[in-house]
Amino acid sequence: MTEEFLSGTTGNPWESVTLALVEEAVRKAAAVEIMPRFRQLAEHEILEKNGPHDLVTVADRSAEEHLTASLSALLPGSVVVGEEAVHADSAICGALDGDAPVWIVDPVDGTRQFVHGDPGFCTLVALARHGEVLASWTYAPALDEMAVAVRGHGARVDGRPISSGSPAPGAVLEVATSHPDFTTDEQKRALLALRVDGIATRPCGSAGLEYLAVARGELSAIVFSWENPWDHAAGLLLVAEAGGTDLTLTGERFRVTGGNALPFTAARDETTVSRIHALLAAPGRTV
């Protein structure tokens, strides 16, 4: 993987921004704002946003503010679409359709795990322009693992290339799916279609770490019923650069700009994603 994440792109505004600089910014935000609060949160530092499974903490907000400042400084003229900022002002998502480079940020992906002292959470950062994700960083600070993907240049974990590969012929497909609290009745019916021989489902944890598991070939597929770009942008590029792919319910690739038919799936290979998609989009089911 090249040091500059878009090699040979003279004149582009991000030409001088290296992978290492972004990685350093992500690691620093986690070290300063997240890890000192891990297993140290006071009750008043944990709030519900849209229900008991949708939490926010002082670490989420502080880390996003930290990343907004550092990433914007790395790339002047760029904008940040962060989960907490969008929660306060949904109009911010409009930047994904604009001309400026966009940093898509989820400061603590897996906040529920973070709150309960579980190390299965991560920080997600992706860089996009005109709706195309160009590079992504998935950092699990409690596990000290950093996954980086660059469009056209592959995916690595702690500097080592990874490949999603394919499930063994006849193997049971292990699939992580959305928590029922985040699904509509129609989506619940679609997910029920996965309860067939040869597929074993379980609820998903941190979206970013589930994508990493697919990219590593440790999980066959994931199925999600929501399309928040900060949950999916980094992971979808990671899976794609490791050799996997994704499909929405209408058979299209996922768009970080929104308007996707849900639920959608990402999987280790074309065969697996096609099998999961066929079950989700069975005849007679409406989108």
Side-chain angles (χ1 to χ4, degrees), residues 124-228:
L124 301 174
V125 172
L127 179 63
R129 195 180 193 194
H130 298 146
E132 181 179 51
V133 181
L134 305 173
S136 75
W137 294 259
T138 299
Y139 181 46
L143 304 173
D144 194 26
E145 286 191 327
M146 174 70 77
V148 180
V150 180
R151 182 166 295 279
H153 290 284
R156 295 175 181 258
V157 174
D158 296 333
R160 296 183 298 274
I162 59 172
S163 174
S164 59
S166 297
V172 172
L173 300 181
E174 297 181 5
V175 182
T177 66
S178 295
H179 190 286
D181 282 3
F182 301 116
T183 57
T184 66
D185 289 342
E186 182 63 28
Q187 289 166 355
K188 286 182 175 69
R189 286 191 287 273
L191 293 176
L192 285 174
L194 299 178
R195 296 186 180 180
V196 297
D197 289 343
I199 295 180
T201 62
R202 64 164 173 79
C204 72
S206 154
L209 294 186
E210 300 290 17
Y211 277 115
L212 177 55
V214 173
R216 281 172 154 168
E218 299 169 349
L219 181 67
S220 304
I222 43 183
V223 176
F224 289 112
S225 58
W226 71 90
E227 61 175 355
N228 299 329

Side-chain angles (χ1 to χ4, degrees), residues 11-30:
N12 277 329
W14 50 77
E15 182 184 7
S16 64
V17 181
T18 66
L19 295 171
L21 285 173
V22 181
E23 179 176 330
E24 181 183 353
V26 174
R27 287 183 181 274
K28 186 173 182 179

Side-chain angles (χ1 to χ4, degrees), residues 93 96-97 130-132 227 229 254-260:
C93 264
L96 293 168
D97 292 308
H130 298 146
E132 181 179 51
E227 61 175 355
F254 184 93
R255 298 183 299 273
V256 295
T257 51
N260 297 285

Side-chain angles (χ1 to χ4, degrees), residues 80-82 85-86 89-98 102 228-230 256-257:
V80 176
V81 172
V86 172
D89 180 6
S90 61
I92 290 173
C93 264
L96 293 168
D97 292 308
V102 181
N228 299 329
W230 46 86
V256 295
T257 51

